[in-house]
Amino acid sequence: MAVAIDPVHLSADEKVRATTVDLRSDTVTRPTPEMRRAMAEAEVGDDVYGEDPTINRLEQRAAEIFRREAALFVPSGTMGNTIAIKCLTQPGQEIICEERAHIYNYEMGMLARFSGCVPRLISAPQGILTWAEVKKSIAPRIYYRAQSALVSLENTNNMAGGSVYPQEVSDEICDGAHEAGLRVHLDGARVFNAAAALGKPVAEITRKFDAVMFCLSKGLGAPVGSLVVSSRALIDEARAVRKALGGGMRQAGILAAAGLIALEKMPARLKDDHANARFLAEGLGRIRGIRIDAAKVETNIMVCDISSSGMNSVEFSRRLAEHNILANGVGPTAMRFVTHMDVDRAGCERALQIIEEICRA
Ligand SMILES: *Cc1c(COP(=O)(O)O)cnc(C)c1O
């Protein structure tokens, strides 16, 4: 009898990795072979001296793509948001944002820590604020009231299930806020997902914001890095704040090289992640014990309710992990699933099959 030839030899670790479907976040994406090659060959210099040609090119391309005067490369989205908000506020002021906002919940209290500001939270269905709601929460101009200085929107809204701002809604908030003397920041960690869902260029959907932060390290697949785009004046100030936070990097063109590929090539494939998310959501909708409105899944993130499965999210994710399906709980009975370039349709099918078995058991 012929002996089967197994041409691929995987270590035990690699075998687990090859069969794991990691739906915890799009931050788990690994750099592509093209990114790794570009990193190895990157031209570099000292960026604190402004001499890293690859970082300079990345910042210039980001500014062009967003049709802004300038951009700044930063190590993380959190640092990008922190810097932008520092540049747009003064201590003692209020920042209006949605209650599930990343800047409020997952950035170590940075509003207070680095900008000396307090949040004014609004709860919004699907995480999408409207000008009517924002307007109501602007503090009256009385000397003993902390003054509202900034509105911060998140597009897509992560914890609301990757929801997207219709352009007229975010435009109206920007126009209203500006008229009221406030500035507007965009936490656009996944703004390319929003652009893909809306079928519009990022420059168009972000044009009214005073400063935009976006991540290369999420769905775009770069290993590290985010950018802030804005006016030349704000970016000059942002560069100084980045240094003060310890974010002045040296030959980081190695990272920017991967970032350039993420920026130029990866936005075009986000629609595949969205199609996989829709597929996954529709499948989840058919499983007893799971509640999800698949029609509301617009991008690569979904949050579903598992309360009628009889499990809480800790047990649920543990059961999934036993079958190499990874997903995070985001509430006692809420699970979040995120699709990305390292999960294909077959992976989504496998995840659905396991989830179905777990719910049936
Ligand atoms: C991931 C994320 C960020 C930034 O996160 P880092 O891990 O610091 O890069 C900011 N906002 C939102 C909505 C995010 O999902």
Side-chain angles (χ1 to χ4, degrees):
M1 214 173 91
V3 176
I5 294 168
D6 177 5
V8 185
H9 296 279
L10 298 177
S11 69
D13 265 8
E14 287 167 331
K15 274 183 189 154
V16 169
R17 180 178 276 189
T19 56
T20 294
V21 181
D22 194 341
L23 297 162
R24 288 172 300 169
S25 176
D26 46 12
T27 56
V28 302
T29 48
R30 289 179 298 266
T32 63
E34 186 186 3
M35 287 179 191
R36 289 177 184 272
R37 274 196 302 277
M39 293 173 80
E41 291 161 12
E43 249 189 287
V44 295
D46 190 331
D47 183 52
V48 174
Y49 294 157
E51 290 173 3
D52 189 299
T54 310
I55 292 190
N56 292 343
R57 190 149 13 98
L58 174 63
E59 291 178 344
Q60 191 193 328
R61 283 299 292 141
E64 283 166 10
I65 289 167
F66 282 77
R67 289 188 225 128
R68 296 291 179 131
E69 288 172 8
L72 181 72
F73 182 58
V74 293
S76 70
T78 298
M79 190 185 283
N81 281 335
T82 302
I83 291 170
I85 286 170
K86 177 73 185 163
C87 293
L88 292 168
T89 59
Q90 295 295 323
Q93 296 180 323
E94 264 183 20
I95 297 169
I96 298 169
C97 60
E98 205 261 332
E99 66 179 358
R100 283 166 282 189
H102 197 280
I103 60 161
Y104 172 65
N105 292 290
Y106 308 105
E107 300 191 6
M108 311 299 296
M110 66 85 165
L111 305 181
R113 195 188 280 233
F114 297 111
S115 291
C117 290
V118 286
R120 170 72 57 179
L121 301 177
I122 305 176
S123 142
Q126 306 301 319
I128 301 298
L129 299 177
T130 61
W131 170 239
E133 289 303 311
V134 170
K135 191 178 175 188
K136 274 193 272 177
S137 57
I138 295 176
R141 300 266 177 218
I142 305 172
Y143 86 88
Y144 50 78
R145 287 290 303 265
Q147 291 297 296
S148 313
L150 183 70
V151 180
S152 178
L153 305 186
E154 187 173 308
N155 200 13
T156 66
N157 187 308
N158 182 344
M159 282 300 151
S163 55
V164 179
Y165 271 90
Q167 184 162 358
E168 58 281 9
V169 175
S170 56
D171 280 357
E172 195 188 4
I173 293 172
C174 291
D175 288 342
H178 286 148
E179 220 164 286
L182 278 69
R183 297 206 269 183
V184 195
H185 159 258
L186 179 66
D187 178 348
R190 295 185 182 82
V191 73
F192 282 93
N193 294 87
L198 294 169
K200 293 180 178 193
V202 284
E204 189 179 332
I205 66 173
T206 62
R207 72 193 193 287
K208 288 176 184 276
F209 290 84
D210 295 281
V212 178
M213 186 289 293
F214 73 94
C215 292
L216 300 166
S217 57
K218 307 252 163 110
L220 302 184
V224 178
S226 296
L227 284 112
V228 180
V229 293
S230 186
S231 64
R232 167 57 60 195
L234 188 137
I235 294 301
D236 285 347
E237 189 186 339
R239 197 175 294 279
V241 176
R242 182 185 69 177
K243 189 77 177 88
L245 292 174
M249 298 182 285
R250 303 294 179 174
Q251 286 74 31
I254 288 198
L255 304 175
L260 271 164
I261 293 165
L263 183 61
E264 304 285 7
K265 300 204 171 164
M266 305 309 265
R269 57 156 307 288
L270 292 175
K271 59 182 189 323
D272 300 342
D273 298 342
H274 297 181
N276 282 335
R278 181 59 77 92
F279 172 81
L280 190 58
E282 283 167 0
L284 288 171
R286 288 190 287 269
I287 297 174
R288 267 188 3 153
I290 293 189
R291 244 201 354 255
I292 185 167
D293 186 348
K296 292 218 170 92
V297 176
E298 299 172 88
T299 59
N300 67 325
I301 304 179
M302 70 208 74
V303 176
C304 64
D305 177 59
I306 58 158
S307 46
S308 49
S309 72
M311 285 173 275
N312 63 33
S313 56
V314 176
E315 293 167 66
F316 198 91
S317 35
R318 194 180 307 131
R319 294 293 317 277
L320 286 181
E322 285 165 9
H323 296 87
N324 295 333
I325 308 291
L326 306 182
N328 283 335
V330 292
T333 59
M335 292 293 302
R336 188 184 71 159
F337 298 92
V338 185
T339 58
H340 52 76
M341 65 191 220
D342 289 347
V343 171
D344 58 10
R345 184 57 64 94
C348 294
E349 282 167 359
R350 218 167 72 74
L352 282 173
Q353 183 199 328
I354 299 294
I355 294 166
E356 218 254 315
E357 280 170 27
I358 285 170
C359 287
R360 196 154 12 95

